[in-house]
Amino acid sequence: MVSKSDYNLLQSIVDVVGFIVIALGIIAQSIVRACLPKSYRKFKNLNGQNVLITGGGGGLGRLLALRMANQGAKIIVWDVNQEGIEETLKQVKAQGGTIHGLKCDLSKNEDVYRVAKLTKEEFGDIDILINNAGVLSGKFLLDTPDRLIQLTFDVNILAHFWTVKAFLPAMISRNKGHIITIASMAGHVGVSKLVDYCASKYAAVGFDESLRMELEDQGVTGVKTTAVCPYFIQSTGMFGNVHSRFLSTLKLSDVADRIVEAIQREEEQVMIPSVLRLTILLKLVMPWPVVSMFMRGLVPDAAPEEPTNKLNNNMVKPTSKEAVNVKND
């Protein structure tokens, strides 16, 4: 007669063997898909899709709007900068695209919910949500006013909660949708002068992974999530003067093209450039002094200019009083 403990052991062995077999099959399938020529890969059709892009008043958000509108998507951009919105609308319409813009302060959840309600009433359900808006302070932690730290988290991560809570229910009910989190390689590796920024991007990476896990746990198969983690990008106004050795900063157009491809292929996580995946692996296996030496050598100064805070192309500078009284905020 088989005892209960023997049965549990046997069941555990079966579970482990089953997991290994299934995992190997998934790995093999992923390798085959990665090696297929683009002409044989499955790409999602963006024509007619309602795409919402936060921070669409400039930089990467504007370029994504142009790229996706060119493929027939109907674009809605949110931004706190009305002039930026108007310029994005002008450029997209000039190439024959369909686009609408709404002013939204992503640092305030009540404004996010208000504009989300208006968006759904005027334009219908959102098919693709791109949480792109971001803030950068670029100061040593003890020199960063509390209000700028709060703003960094409000925009870089908390806003993701509010937009997803606003649009995810309809996606689940239709079992159709895609949520893209524009995070950063700073969401995997810490960098000096970017303590608040890195912490918010670590949170963004965790948000995406946890949300994906939760959807799978609930059996929601039609709603996809993608985390995008680029290296420093040129021409966004955030990292234009970053000192980077050995690895060039990224061209905005290249990043936009790669993000659109990732959306079409429904990739779970994208690192730009892909070689940086090795950095994450090395971080896990190397002693901390090696990791620190490598990162400080790669990025001697992430914010060489006098500290500012960027939110959707608007520069918000701490007052002299705040700069003096940082430790007492």
Side-chain angles (χ1 to χ4, degrees):
M1 182 177 179
V2 179
S3 67
K4 185 176 181 179
S5 61
D6 290 340
Y7 176 80
N8 289 338
L9 177 61
L10 181 61
Q11 184 63 48
S12 296
I13 293 172
V14 171
D15 289 342
V16 170
V17 171
F19 170 80
I20 292 173
V21 171
I22 294 172
L24 289 174
I26 293 172
I27 292 170
Q29 188 180 50
S30 298
I31 293 172
V32 170
R33 279 204 305 264
C35 293
L36 283 174
K38 284 190 176 183
S39 57
Y40 288 91
R41 295 176 185 175
K42 180 183 177 183
F43 283 82
K44 177 160 58 181
N45 186 1
L46 299 180
N47 187 46
Q49 299 279 295
N50 263 358
V51 180
L52 171 61
I53 305 171
T54 68
L60 181 60
R62 177 178 293 163
L63 213 53
L64 288 172
L66 288 163
R67 293 287 197 276
M68 299 185 78
N70 195 43
Q71 297 199 31
K74 294 180 287 186
I75 309 297
I76 302 103
V77 293
W78 287 6
D79 204 298
V80 73
N81 182 349
Q82 185 63 44
E83 291 182 3
I85 292 174
E86 295 301 328
E87 181 59 29
T88 299
L89 265 59
K90 177 183 175 181
Q91 291 189 25
V92 171
K93 288 178 179 178
Q95 69 175 23
T98 301
I99 186 170
H100 307 279
L102 294 170
K103 186 174 181 178
C104 180
D105 186 347
L106 288 158
S107 68
K108 296 180 172 61
N109 66 338
E110 63 272 15
D111 204 41
V112 173
Y113 288 138
R114 177 187 65 81
V115 181
K117 183 173 183 292
L118 184 61
T119 299
K120 288 182 283 189
E121 289 173 350
E122 293 196 10
F123 313 120
D125 292 331
I126 296 300
D127 299 301
I128 300 174
L129 169 62
I130 305 178
N131 280 313
N132 164 73
V135 169
L136 173 70
S137 297
K139 298 162 67 79
F140 290 116
L141 176 62
L142 296 183
D143 295 330
T144 309
D146 287 2
R147 74 176 182 91
L148 297 189
I149 295 173
Q150 184 68 57
L151 184 61
T152 296
F153 279 84
D154 284 339
V155 176
N156 289 9
I157 181 58
L158 290 179
H160 295 213
F161 284 81
W162 318 142
T163 58
V164 169
K165 289 187 72 176
F167 296 110
L168 181 58
M171 292 182 180
I172 291 176
S173 67
R174 294 180 296 134
N175 196 32
K176 177 180 178 292
H178 198 160
I179 297 167
I180 293 87
T181 299
I182 306 298
S184 170
M185 283 305 300
H188 295 279
V189 181
V191 181
S192 176
K193 287 190 179 180
L194 300 182
V195 173
D196 56 340
Y197 183 80
C198 289
S200 69
K201 292 302 184 178
Y202 265 80
V205 171
F207 174 83
D208 167 80
E209 185 174 308
S210 301
L211 178 62
R212 186 184 313 123
M213 190 73 72
E214 188 168 281
L215 291 170
E216 292 175 357
D217 187 54
Q218 295 175 346
V220 182
T221 58
V223 180
K224 309 299 182 180
T225 78
T226 299
V228 180
C229 299
Y231 190 59
F232 298 113
I233 307 174
Q234 304 168 9
S235 306
T236 62
M238 297 178 78
F239 295 109
N241 295 310
V242 63
H243 292 169
S244 175
R245 300 173 63 198
F246 313 121
L247 189 62
S248 299
T249 53
L250 304 173
K251 292 181 180 179
L252 192 60
S253 58
D254 293 341
V255 175
D257 289 338
R258 184 66 183 90
I259 291 172
V260 173
E261 180 184 356
I263 293 171
Q264 292 177 309
R265 293 178 59 187
E266 296 183 341
E267 298 177 51
E268 285 84 10
Q269 189 173 83
V270 180
M271 293 186 184
I272 311 173
S274 57
V275 69
L276 288 178
R277 290 182 179 274
L278 296 176
T279 303
I280 308 305
L281 179 61
L282 290 173
K283 181 186 175 184
L284 295 175
V285 299
M286 290 293 179
W288 170 250
V290 175
V291 175
S292 175
M293 181 173 60
F294 174 77
M295 286 307 302
R296 285 185 286 112
L298 180 64
V299 189
D301 195 343
E305 290 187 338
E306 205 43 40
T308 55
N309 188 292
K310 181 173 178 59
L311 169 59
N312 295 329
N313 300 314
N314 287 337
M315 304 305 287
V316 184
K317 297 185 180 181
T319 65
S320 58
K321 182 179 178 181
E322 283 177 322
V324 171
N325 296 325
V326 168
K327 296 181 181 179
N328 299 318
D329 282 351

